Structures are given as C-alpha cells and as structure tokens.
Amino acid sequence: MEKINRRTFNVKLTQALAGAALLSHIPLSYGLNSGRQDKKLGIALVGLGGYAGGQLAPALLKAEHCYLAGIVTGTPSKEKEWMDKYSIPKENVYNYENFDNIAKNDAIDVVYVVLPNSMHAEFCIRAAKAGKHVITEKPMAVSVAECDAIINACKENGVKLGVGYRMQTDPYTNEIKRLVAEKPMGEVQYISSDAGFVSGNNPDQWRLNKKLAGGGALMDMGVYAIQSSIYGAGANPVSISAQEFKTRPDYFKEVDESITAQMKFSNDVVGNMFTSYNANANRLFVSFRRGWAELNPCHSYGPLAGRTSKGEEIKFPFERYYQQTTQMDSFAKHVLTGSTNFAPGEMGKRDIIIVEAIYKSIEEGGKTIPLDLGDMGIVKV
Amino acid sequence: MEKINRRTFNVKLTQALAGAALLSHIPLSYGLNSGRQDKKLGIALVGLGGYAGGQLAPALLKAEHCYLAGIVTGTPSKEKEWMDKYSIPKENVYNYENFDNIAKNDAIDVVYVVLPNSMHAEFCIRAAKAGKHVITEKPMAVSVAECDAIINACKENGVKLGVGYRMQTDPYTNEIKRLVAEKPMGEVQYISSDAGFVSGNNPDQWRLNKKLAGGGALMDMGVYAIQSSIYGAGANPVSISAQEFKTRPDYFKEVDESITAQMKFSNDVVGNMFTSYNANANRLFVSFRRGWAELNPCHSYGPLAGRTSKGEEIKFPFERYYQQTTQMDSFAKHVLTGSTNFAPGEMGKRDIIIVEAIYKSIEEGGKTIPLDLGDMGIVKV
C-alpha cells in the first residue's frame, strides 16, 4: 500500500516526461520508482468470475511486486467470501456503481478488469479516469475503436496500461522468441498455431452471447493463436484471409464456432491458424530453415511443454510456476521501475485490428485483407 | 517370373467377374490367385530418376511378392548400370519408343511409372494396353481427365491399377486410421496436415516446370497433405478453399511455392492444410473429442514417429522398414490374391479432383468450392 497519492504523482511526472527535452535528464530510477522496488502495488480485481477466483487471486498470493488489495463485483454475496479469504478490508470493496470512488483509495494502484469482453472498455476508462493503472484481460476490447478509447484514456490520465497476456512473460514463449530472434536454426519460414477447446454444454454462458463477448472462439482462443503466430513469426502480418466453420448452429447461435486464418508476415513467413470452441488444439509450430520448434500445450496455464527438431525438450525447472504471477509482477515492475511493458495497449489493439480483419475476410467470402501494422505491438525482449 | 500369360488369364477372368451373377459363385481364392502366392511378380520401373534408384529398386530387393524384373529408360547410359546392379536381362530393358513391345514380355507383370507427372497418363495407358498391371507414382496425373483416361484404360484392358501411395500401407498411418475408426479418444473434430520442404537451388529440375510437373508444391507434397487430411478425418471433404503464397518468384517462376487450404469433411471435421516447396513441415495432427494424436515426421520415408495426448509414443518395432517394399508387396498381393488394393485409381483421381478444386479456389480469390466425392477413394482397412 502506498502512502503518497501515486495518481497525482504519476500524472505530473508523465506530463513532465512528455516533454522530450527533459527525458534524458531524469534518471528513470529517480522519476518512476525512486526506491519503490520494495513496495507492493495494490491490485483490485474487477469481476470475480472463474478466472479471477481460480487463477488471478491465487497468483497474487505468490507475487513479489503486487498483491490483492481490493475487489469490484456486481455480486454482493461474493464480497464477504473474498474479504475473508484474502484479508481485504471493507473499504477496498466496490461494486459497479460506486467503482469510481476508487479514485480516492490510495491502497489501490492497479485495476485489473476481468469482466466479459464488452465491458472492458467502460471499466478500463473509468479506472484510468480514477488515476489507476490498468490491466485489461484479453481480448483488450471488442473493437478497435474501444481499444483506442482505452489507450487514450490511459494516456490522458497518465496511467500505465497492460493487457492480460500471460503468455508474453512465460518462459516457454520466451524460448520460442529467442529461437526466432537468435536464429540457431535459421530464419522462420512457416508457423502454425491452433488454439481451441470443446465448449461445455452451457448455452447460457456469456462467451456465447455476442453482445457480451463480441465474438466467439476468435475473440477468446483466437487471440492466443494470433499472439503465438506473431511471436512465432517474429513479425506482424501484412495480410490475412479467413474462413468460418459451424457444425453446431443450435449451440453457437450468435458467435463463431471455428475459424481458420492464413497470414503473410512482413518477413515473408507464411502462417496458418485455427481457433475453435468445438475442438481441442493447443499448439504452436515454428518451421525454421534448418529445423523446427513446437509448443504443445502452448496456450494453457502451464507448465507448457515444447521440443525441437534437434530432439531437445523445451523445459524449465519450475515444479509449478504461475504464469499469472509472473505476468502481474512484470506489469507491477513496469509501473514501479519503468521496466519493459511486455503486453502494452498497442499490442492488444493490434490484435483486435487482426480480429476485425478476420471477420471482414469471412464476411467477404475469404478475401485477402491487407494490414498496415508496421511494428505495432512488437516488444523487443 | 510367370510361366503362363497372366494378361490373357486376367482379362478373361475380369470379364467373367464383370457379370455380377457369376461373382458369388466363384470363390475368390480360385479365380484370382489359385496357388499363386508363392510366385513373385516381375515389376518394370519406368523412369530411372532419384526415386526409382534411391527407393524403389532397393525396396524391391526386400520384397516377398515382387521383384525388379525390368527397366524402361530414356537414358541409354543408365541401362548397363541397372542391368549389372539388379541382374536385369537385356530383353527386359526398354526405352520410351519400344516400350509397347513389353506386351510380349511375360517376365513383366507390373509396370511402375515413375516419370515426371505429366508423363504418367501416357505411360500408364500404354502399359495397360500392353496388358500389364499398373502402378503410377503420385500424383496420379496432372488432371482429372487424365486420371479418368488411366482408369478407363486399365478397366478396358483388365489390369489392376494402383497409385504409389506408400503411406497407405505404413504402420504409423494405419495406427492413425485405427484411432480414427475405433474412437478410443472419441470422434475426430479437427485435423491439421503440413507437408513441405525447402527446394534446393536447382532451378532446372522438372518439378519447377509447369508443363512437366503440372503444378508445384501442391502437386508434389500437397498430395501427401490431402491424403493424410482424409485418413486423419476419416472422411472425404465436402468443400475446400485455398490461398497461394509466393516469396521467391524468381525461383518458383511457373509453379506454386506454398499453399494453405481449408476443408470441411462429410463428418463435420474441420481441416487445415499447408504445403510448400519453401518450408520444412511434415506433420499430421488429429484432434479427437478427448485427446489427440500426431505424426511428425508423417510423410517421409520412415520410420515415422508419433505420439498421443495420453503420453504414448506411436512406435513400431522395425529397426528399419521400407515403406516402398510394403507398398509394392501389398499391390502384388492384390494382383495375386485379390486382397485389398489400398491405393486404387479412384483414390488417386479423388485427390486430383481436390487438387483442381484448390487451384480453382486460388484463382477465384479464396472462394469455397463444394466437392461431391461421396466415399470415392475411401478404402476400409
């Protein structure tokens, strides 16, 4: 918990840093952290569904640089349970109506939005306006326009923004990035990414509701496949085409069930992608000029597993590691010290640009859609 | 080598069998084999390139039911080398001009056409007219019309026809077929197949010549991916769409470099496919309702390798096995005993129907092309 009002502090500092002339004169260690590394940031989770309760809250118990300081829920019955379980004081508990009062609560440094997709933009913007740093669960939002609104709100309010891309700080993912960047097997020429699971028999879940989810498999698992395609290729796509398959129209009434997509990347890599709510697939294959590497599983909570054509296993010595702990600690360090933000808002927006291009291609019968992304969202490791 | 003239024998028998009324009255063991299992069929290889010399001829040395009896070559300098190496008598050596005289040579039972793709039809038809059973290397031919011409020529001349699909009798392939048919992990829901290699720096090879090859990666490696997609799905596709990628237009002047294709199968399986002359990929992934199986490598000369989501390795106890031996022995047994033809002409034709649909989809900007294949080419194991 912070004693000073970081909001005011950071807003002023960011405004100062916006003057480029000043930037080189302020040591980052002075401005952005100044001895703060020993402090833990207080995180408030917004939306206490399965992911918040099953993954994020337990992960925060293991974090070094942040902790579960508050909750925001629309379900009053959850308040006491969470307060007891995680020693959260009553004053750090909010509902969706009084959420904006969080601005006055110095115990909360970061707001992590874990609501259904279509609610991300509203709560990210409200959090930014409250002067809180923001993490939004993936997909960042359900449209590029909403992503822009979130990015702008964070800029205007001088707060940091991250997307809940736990894979970007996963060691297996980073080993693939290393192979791609250091080229021990040569240049990448082809990548294939699959991300899907079989949706259980629960037709009332928000993920099947177009208005709440913004889309189906693509908005959920597809975003993982887009992410791994891009770090597997080591570049952004310059064009994309896509197709939709629906075999259970009675169940997937409003949203996409399975989608295939094909990408050409700026470095001439070809990519093949599949995402589904009706098939199990959890893989990344990277074909280099002189070999290959793969992760399977690739997108789950870990530990992941991988291997290369050299017969080597990709394996990290964690008996059990928590992707979400690493992810939130990384973002907290970014806030505290100015270290790299491995999942910035621009990355989340880029992925939604790709999602929109995929839906557009499907609408247009599989037409190839050009993309002009440059290096948007590419973070050098 | 056979003492009696099988051509006359088989033509008469086939004509007799064509009368369905008779079929149930003739025990297959009487008509088609009658004690022939101990005989080896004489095979003549047509076209003595790298595949014939490096794979088929050595494989025939290990075969039980056939042997290398003759050669047909357009390169006179190869004649003596092959005659010496494989003890082939001069009278079993032909060139492309005098090839039709093979009709009078009782030592030759089967003609195996290993020429560039565009020459398959001509030599298959000439072989059939000479009364010889026919194996044609894959792709069966460069158009559906040519496939029909081959099938008709074989029917008219009462000879058996097989395609050089060595995977169809491979034990790894058959283990996948078993998992698909017996469903220990449930129904298949998704399959992904990749077949490609990086074409060496030899711009003059016939495989890059549209007239000789009929196409590029798709006609060559793509046919493997089509094959494994279908046995992986356990059904034929009912629609397909495709895209072409070219990153080395100076090298791949006339033929396709990389192609992605998407299939919906008659049993609602979704398929994703990739083939390339510019990327290494050699995989089949089959996603079942409750697990997955994969082969990698999947399309090479073997031994292949595979595993399942249960942590089981798919492995067969061959120190070194020869796919081509099994393939040619299987076809020889089919000729000798009427056993199953695991790679009949209808299968080869079906795959070229799919190849043509892929090229059509590419021409039409990725449009989905319906396919009306029924169970064409599906062989029950």
Side-chain angles (χ1 to χ4, degrees):
Chain A
M1 256 177 287
E2 296 296 316
K3 296 274 162 58
I4 71 156
N5 184 332
R6 175 172 295 98
R7 180 201 176 188
T8 317
F9 177 82
N10 276 343
V11 169
K12 284 191 185 144
L13 183 70
T14 305
Q15 287 163 345
L17 287 175
L22 277 175
L23 193 58
S24 59
H25 301 291
I26 303 181
L28 275 178
S29 61
Y30 168 75
L32 285 169
N33 52 31
S34 59
R36 292 267 181 84
Q37 291 93 330
D38 57 338
K39 305 276 185 174
K40 285 191 172 191
L41 297 186
I43 291 192
L45 296 178
V46 187
L48 304 182
Y51 190 64
Q55 300 297 330
L56 296 177
L60 280 165
L61 293 177
K62 297 171 185 289
E64 275 182 69
H65 304 293
C66 48
Y67 74 102
L68 180 55
I71 51 174
V72 185
T73 177
T75 311
S77 62
K78 289 185 182 173
E79 292 182 4
K80 181 151 184 348
E81 181 199 332
W82 279 68
M83 285 165 63
D84 289 352
K85 191 165 183 184
Y86 295 104
S87 308
I88 298 168
K90 178 68 185 161
E91 63 265 26
N92 294 357
V93 176
Y94 297 85
N95 59 40
Y96 299 153
E97 287 67 41
N98 67 16
F99 169 63
D100 306 285
N101 296 338
I102 208 166
K104 291 175 268 182
N105 190 336
D106 290 348
I108 309 297
D109 302 291
V110 178
V111 165
Y112 193 151
V113 178
V114 206
L115 294 164
N117 306 340
S118 68
M119 300 167 76
H120 290 185
E122 177 193 337
F123 280 82
C124 287
I125 292 166
R126 286 169 71 179
K129 286 184 175 165
K132 304 303 178 186
H133 304 291
V134 178
I135 307 175
T136 172
E137 199 32 64
K138 53 138 280 283
M140 183 170 170
V142 298
S143 70
V144 175
E146 284 188 359
C147 293
D148 278 330
I150 295 170
I151 290 170
N152 289 337
C154 289
K155 271 190 194 153
E156 283 163 16
N157 291 281
V159 298
K160 304 288 188 182
L161 170 62
V163 183
Y165 284 147
R166 60 193 160 78
M167 313 312 307
Q168 290 290 346
T169 42
D170 179 278
Y172 291 77
T173 297
N174 281 321
E175 174 62 5
I176 297 291
K177 289 180 196 165
R178 186 188 72 77
L179 294 171
V180 171
E182 296 182 4
K183 305 182 179 30
M185 293 183 272
E187 301 275 346
V188 181
Q189 292 176 295
Y190 167 65
I191 61 103
S192 167
S193 178
D194 294 342
F197 66 87
V198 180
S199 178
N201 201 18
N202 175 12
D204 298 325
Q205 61 185 300
W206 67 261
R207 292 196 177 281
L208 303 183
N209 178 319
K210 176 83 185 286
K211 203 174 158 190
L212 285 173
L218 179 62
M219 270 293 181
D220 183 7
M221 301 308 289
V223 171
Y224 288 115
I226 290 168
Q227 283 263 304
S228 57
S229 293
I230 291 172
Y231 73 70
N236 279 336
V238 293
S239 64
I240 195 160
S241 54
Q243 304 76 32
E244 185 179 352
F245 297 85
K246 195 165 278 192
T247 65
R248 294 165 65 193
D250 291 348
Y251 186 73
F252 298 104
K253 284 195 180 91
E254 301 182 8
V255 300
D256 43 284
E257 172 188 316
S258 295
I259 283 176
T260 47
Q262 307 78 43
M263 284 163 273
K264 186 169 181 179
F265 293 86
S266 60
N267 55 359
D268 272 352
V269 170
V270 176
N272 217 359
M273 193 189 113
F274 171 73
T275 188
S276 181
Y277 270 164
N278 196 46
N280 301 304
N282 192 348
R283 307 188 305 152
L284 172 67
F285 174 77
V286 182
S287 175
F288 299 94
R289 186 74 172 75
R290 298 185 303 275
W292 51 261
E294 69 174 10
L295 298 181
N296 179 5
C298 174
H299 307 110
S300 38
Y301 298 152
L304 308 181
R307 55 184 189 147
T308 76
S309 52
K310 313 292 178 208
E312 295 157 350
E313 202 180 352
I314 299 176
K315 192 167 173 63
F316 290 88
F318 299 100
E319 194 185 348
R320 180 80 180 90
Y321 71 91
Y322 290 89
Q323 290 173 340
Q324 290 84 357
T325 304
T326 312
Q327 168 209 329
M328 290 186 282
D329 263 343
S330 173
F331 183 76
K333 272 180 69 181
H334 166 64
V335 169
L336 289 166
T337 72
S339 62
T340 301
N341 181 353
F342 290 101
E346 290 290 309
M347 181 187 276
K349 174 185 165 183
R350 173 200 65 193
D351 298 344
I352 301 304
I353 291 174
I354 294 170
V355 163
E356 289 191 352
I358 287 174
Y359 284 133
K360 186 179 178 200
S361 175
I362 290 168
E363 262 175 41
E364 300 191 3
K367 205 177 123 179
T368 298
I369 309 293
L371 292 163
D372 185 18
L373 298 168
D375 283 335
M376 183 176 184
I378 300 277
V379 176
K380 299 275 179 237
V381 179
Chain B
M1 256 177 290
E2 297 294 316
K3 294 279 161 55
I4 71 154
N5 184 332
R6 173 171 296 98
R7 180 201 175 187
T8 317
F9 177 83
N10 276 344
V11 169
K12 284 192 184 140
L13 183 70
T14 306
Q15 285 162 348
L17 287 176
L22 279 175
L23 193 59
S24 58
H25 302 291
I26 302 181
L28 274 180
S29 62
Y30 169 75
L32 285 169
N33 53 32
S34 59
R36 290 269 180 82
Q37 291 92 331
D38 57 337
K39 304 277 185 175
K40 284 192 171 189
L41 297 186
I43 292 192
L45 296 177
V46 186
L48 305 181
Y51 190 63
Q55 300 297 330
L56 296 178
L60 280 165
L61 294 176
K62 297 171 186 289
E64 274 182 71
H65 304 294
C66 49
Y67 74 103
L68 180 56
I71 51 174
V72 186
T73 177
T75 311
S77 62
K78 289 186 181 172
E79 293 182 2
K80 183 155 185 341
E81 181 199 332
W82 279 68
M83 286 166 64
D84 290 351
K85 191 165 183 184
Y86 295 104
S87 307
I88 298 168
K90 178 67 185 162
E91 63 266 27
N92 294 358
V93 176
Y94 297 86
N95 59 41
Y96 299 152
E97 287 68 42
N98 67 16
F99 169 63
D100 306 284
N101 296 337
I102 209 166
K104 291 175 267 180
N105 190 336
D106 289 349
I108 309 298
D109 301 291
V110 177
V111 165
Y112 193 152
V113 179
V114 205
L115 294 164
N117 306 340
S118 68
M119 299 168 77
H120 289 185
E122 178 193 337
F123 280 82
C124 287
I125 292 166
R126 285 169 71 180
K129 286 185 174 165
K132 304 304 179 187
H133 303 292
V134 178
I135 307 174
T136 173
E137 201 31 65
K138 54 138 280 282
M140 183 171 170
V142 298
S143 70
V144 175
E146 284 189 357
C147 293
D148 278 330
I150 295 171
I151 289 170
N152 290 338
C154 290
K155 272 189 193 153
E156 283 163 16
N157 291 281
V159 298
K160 305 287 189 183
L161 171 61
V163 183
Y165 284 146
R166 61 194 159 76
M167 312 313 306
Q168 290 290 347
T169 42
D170 179 278
Y172 290 78
T173 297
N174 282 322
E175 174 62 7
I176 297 291
K177 289 180 195 164
R178 186 188 72 77
L179 294 171
V180 171
E182 296 182 5
K183 304 183 181 30
M185 292 183 273
E187 301 274 348
V188 181
Q189 292 176 295
Y190 168 65
I191 61 103
S192 167
S193 178
D194 293 342
F197 65 87
V198 179
S199 178
N201 200 17
N202 175 11
D204 298 325
Q205 60 184 300
W206 67 261
R207 292 196 177 280
L208 303 183
N209 178 320
K210 177 82 185 286
K211 203 174 159 190
L212 286 172
L218 179 61
M219 271 291 182
D220 183 7
M221 301 308 289
V223 171
Y224 288 114
I226 290 169
Q227 282 262 305
S228 57
S229 293
I230 291 172
Y231 74 69
N236 279 336
V238 294
S239 64
I240 194 160
S241 53
Q243 304 76 31
E244 184 179 352
F245 297 85
K246 195 165 278 192
T247 65
R248 295 164 65 193
D250 291 347
Y251 186 71
F252 299 104
K253 285 195 179 90
E254 301 183 7
V255 299
D256 43 284
E257 173 189 316
S258 295
I259 283 175
T260 46
Q262 307 78 44
M263 284 162 274
K264 187 170 180 179
F265 293 87
S266 61
N267 55 359
D268 272 352
V269 170
V270 176
N272 217 358
M273 192 187 113
F274 171 72
T275 188
S276 182
Y277 270 164
N278 197 45
N280 300 305
N282 191 349
R283 307 189 305 152
L284 172 66
F285 174 77
V286 183
S287 174
F288 300 94
R289 187 73 171 76
R290 297 185 302 274
W292 50 260
E294 69 173 9
L295 298 181
N296 179 5
C298 174
H299 307 110
S300 38
Y301 299 152
L304 307 181
R307 55 183 189 148
T308 76
S309 53
K310 313 293 178 210
E312 296 158 349
E313 203 180 351
I314 299 176
K315 193 169 173 62
F316 290 88
F318 299 101
E319 194 185 348
R320 180 79 181 89
Y321 71 90
Y322 289 89
Q323 289 174 339
Q324 290 84 356
T325 303
T326 312
Q327 168 209 329
M328 289 186 282
D329 263 344
S330 172
F331 183 76
K333 272 181 68 181
H334 166 63
V335 170
L336 288 167
T337 72
S339 63
T340 301
N341 182 353
F342 290 100
E346 290 291 309
M347 181 186 277
K349 175 185 165 183
R350 173 200 66 193
D351 297 344
I352 301 303
I353 291 173
I354 295 169
V355 163
E356 288 190 354
I358 287 173
Y359 283 133
K360 188 180 177 200
S361 175
I362 290 167
E363 261 174 42
E364 299 190 4
K367 203 177 124 179
T368 298
I369 309 293
L371 291 164
D372 185 17
L373 298 169
D375 282 336
M376 182 175 186
I378 300 277
V379 176
K380 298 276 178 236
V381 179

